Amino acid sequence: QVQLVESGGGLVQPGGSLRLSCAASGNILSINTMGWYRQAPGKQRELVAVVSDGRMGNYADSVKGRFTISRDVAKKTVSLQMNSLKPEDTAVYYCNADLRTYGSYGYNNYWGQGTQVTVSS
């Protein structure tokens, strides 16, 4: 079994900062990419940022220059530093990993349970 456990969500005022973290655990053989998605009420889930092994992250245009994704390959963790937050960043944020488990023949997508981020004054 694989688990992705997120932490760090909460309520913040516009212009503030939050840091999300996600730790992967279980019978993981290797991880290809780790990233963050978000889903606001009434909207589809969208990519926020994703990072491969040792490479720079790719970001949605709406968060470029404000969010920074980082990954610790050895610890199987990924973090998202969110600065200059706006009300439109309000959403449930989901950790995502494309990984291979022991005994499997390919990579599969896994999701965390989600953490709420609310940006409001």
Side-chain angles (χ1 to χ4, degrees), residues 37-48 90-92 94:
Y37 288 70
R38 67 186 181 187
Q39 187 167 18
K43 294 187 177 181
Q44 289 188 333
R45 191 173 297 187
E46 62 175 4
L47 172 70
V48 177
T90 296
V92 177
Y94 296 91

Side-chain angles (χ1 to χ4, degrees), residues 4-10 12 18-22 35-41 45-49 60 62-63 66-67 79-96 111-119:
L4 299 180
V5 179
E6 301 122 330
S7 61
V12 64
L18 278 176
R19 185 176 180 85
L20 305 182
S21 297
C22 172
W36 292 91
Y37 288 70
R38 67 186 181 187
Q39 187 167 18
R45 191 173 297 187
E46 62 175 4
L47 172 70
V48 177
S62 59
V63 306
R66 300 188 298 122
F67 291 10
S79 297
L80 185 69
Q81 178 65 41
M82 304 185 293
N83 299 327
S84 302
L85 282 161
K86 305 175 181 180
E88 51 264 43
D89 295 317
T90 296
V92 177
Y93 284 70
Y94 296 91
C95 178
N96 174 271
W111 295 92
Q113 80 284 357
T115 184
Q116 177 69 46
V117 171
T118 303
V119 185

Side-chain angles (χ1 to χ4, degrees), residues 66-78:
R66 300 188 298 122
F67 291 10
T68 302
I69 191 170
S70 59
R71 177 179 168 184
D72 188 320
V73 174
K75 294 182 179 179
K76 299 185 182 65
T77 61
V78 64

